[in-house]
């Protein structure tokens, strides 16, 4: 079995230590971070489909996700921009009640790679915490991720609170995640929406470039 197939197998099995070693070894062997990333995403897709069909359960998915995030941490520095390419600041988080962070972490990685400074608030972020972060960091973009239909509403509540606090006008609100649609984004007054991490970074770059 080649290294990428092994990474896929051990991500699916949630074997973090093996995934860490194999990711480092794959880089040493000359595999690119893109090849490793594709492998990780495919492995998560396989786990996701098994989860949907009740062939695996939350604990298995959780340990697979940990293994995924460990590998992502190893490859992330490879997409760091050099300082001269800095294009703006993003505050990102997964909304309150939602613990899914793989998609958010991918968006963060791609945005960093595009030249953004990204402040990652983590998961389960309330409207109040987003507001505090906007006051503290003064970002160009607030990026929110949601994977549950039940937590999408927090995006709307966050926008509302930013408006009430007089902070809405100077920032771009970017939302995404599997249940989000362009129609939903429009309805709640978000500025941009995207379906995947790569286009998220490109769109964010376009927005900031048009503003300057
Ligand atoms: Co959860 N889960 N989960 N889960 N989980 C889903 C989302 C689900 C669809 C599974 C299913 O098929 N039934 C379902 C949601 C149903 C719904 O609401 N419609 C579900 C459920 C129900 C639950 C629990 C309620 C299960 C339970 O406890 N009974 C529970 C809720 C916990 C909570 O959050 N409060 C739960 C728990 C978990 C784990 C903790 C076990 C784990 C998360 C671990 C972690 O993230 N660290 C987990 C996982 C991994 C999944 C699945 C299998 C995979 C999600 C994922 O990481 N995909 C998921 C099923 C599935 O999607 N097939 C599922 C890979 C990732 C790369 O894709 O996150 O979509 P994604 O991100 C994409 C795009 O959406 C986009 O870019 C990314 C890549 O290009 N994107 C953005 C994401 N954020 C963006 C932001 C942007 C722009 C683009 O701009 C800001």
């Amino acid at each position: 079995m080649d290294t990428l197939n092994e990474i896929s197998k051990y991500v699916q099995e949630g074997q973090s230590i093996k995934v860490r070693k194999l990711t480092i070894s794959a880089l040493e062997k000359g595999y690119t971070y893109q090849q490793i990333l594709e492998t990780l995403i495919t492995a998560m897709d396989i786990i996701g489909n098994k989860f949907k069909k009740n062939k695996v359960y939350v604990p298995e998915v959780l340990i697979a996700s940990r293994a995924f995030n460990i590998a992502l941490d190893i490859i992330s520095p490879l997409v760091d921009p050099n300082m001269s390419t800095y294009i703006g600041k993003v505050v990102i988080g997964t909304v309150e009640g939602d613990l899914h962070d793989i998609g958010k972490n991918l968006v963060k990685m791609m945005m960093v790679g595009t030249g953004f400074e990204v402040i990652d608030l983590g998961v389960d972020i309330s409207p109040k915490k987003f507001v505090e972060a906007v006051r503290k960091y003064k970002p160009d973009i607030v990026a929110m991720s949601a994977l549950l239909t039940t937590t999408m509403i927090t995006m709307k509540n966050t926008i509302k609170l930013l408006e009430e606090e007089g902070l809405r006008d100077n920032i771009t609100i970017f939302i995404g995640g599997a249940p989000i649609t362009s129609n939903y984004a429009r309805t709640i007054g978000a500025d941009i929406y995207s379906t995947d991490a790569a286009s998220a970074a490109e769109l964010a770059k376009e927005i900031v470039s048009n503003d300057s």
Side-chain angles (χ1 to χ4, degrees):
M1 204 188 287
D2 80 2
T3 313
L4 294 182
N5 284 328
E6 281 190 288
I7 291 175
S8 174
K9 174 180 186 292
Y10 291 125
V11 166
Q12 290 173 55
E13 290 176 7
Q15 298 212 41
S16 295
I17 294 171
K18 286 187 175 154
V19 169
R20 183 196 302 274
K21 275 190 193 150
L22 284 161
T23 304
I24 294 167
S25 154
L27 290 171
E28 284 166 358
K29 284 180 185 164
Y31 288 105
T32 62
Y33 82 83
Q34 289 95 335
Q35 286 174 303
I36 299 172
L37 189 56
E38 270 170 33
T39 303
L40 296 172
I41 292 173
T42 307
M44 250 358 260
D45 270 352
I46 296 170
I47 278 286
N49 285 329
K50 287 185 179 166
F51 189 43
K52 260 187 205 148
K53 291 177 187 156
N54 288 327
K55 288 186 177 163
V56 295
Y57 298 97
V58 169
E60 288 100 314
V61 182
L62 190 57
I63 56 168
S65 308
R66 282 201 194 124
F68 179 105
N69 278 331
I70 281 170
L72 194 65
D73 278 349
I74 295 169
I75 61 172
S76 286
L78 300 175
V79 283
D80 265 356
N82 67 47
M83 286 313 283
S84 64
T85 62
Y86 174 88
I87 52 171
K89 198 188 286 182
V90 178
V91 158
I92 194 167
T94 300
V95 299
E96 189 171 30
D98 204 322
L99 304 176
H100 296 85
D101 67 356
I102 290 183
K104 184 259 300 164
N105 292 345
L106 284 175
V107 172
K108 172 187 169 185
M109 187 182 83
M110 296 308 290
M111 284 184 167
V112 168
T114 306
F116 285 98
E117 176 190 356
V118 181
I119 291 122
D120 184 1
L121 303 178
V123 296
D124 194 19
I125 303 304
S126 65
K128 195 166 164 249
K129 282 192 192 155
F130 275 111
V131 163
E132 283 166 5
V134 168
R135 282 222 168 83
K136 183 169 176 193
Y137 299 109
K138 303 188 177 21
D140 303 290
I141 295 175
V142 170
M144 292 184 269
S145 176
L147 262 287
L148 299 172
T149 44
T150 48
T151 58
M152 290 159 64
I153 187 76
T154 306
M155 295 173 158
K156 183 181 177 187
N157 296 340
T158 303
I159 296 173
K160 196 163 163 261
L161 192 59
L162 285 165
E163 280 166 1
E164 284 166 11
E165 298 289 324
L167 297 166
R168 172 70 180 92
D169 289 348
N170 297 328
I171 46 170
T172 297
I173 308 271
F174 198 154
I175 65 169
I180 308 300
T181 61
S182 56
N183 191 36
Y184 185 71
R186 222 179 4 259
T187 311
I188 67 168
D191 299 304
I192 359 174
Y193 144 82
S194 84
T195 50
D196 64 272
S199 65
E202 280 310 310
L203 278 170
K205 186 178 174 182
E206 267 173 40
I207 287 282
V208 173
S209 311
N210 290 342
D211 283 353
S212 56

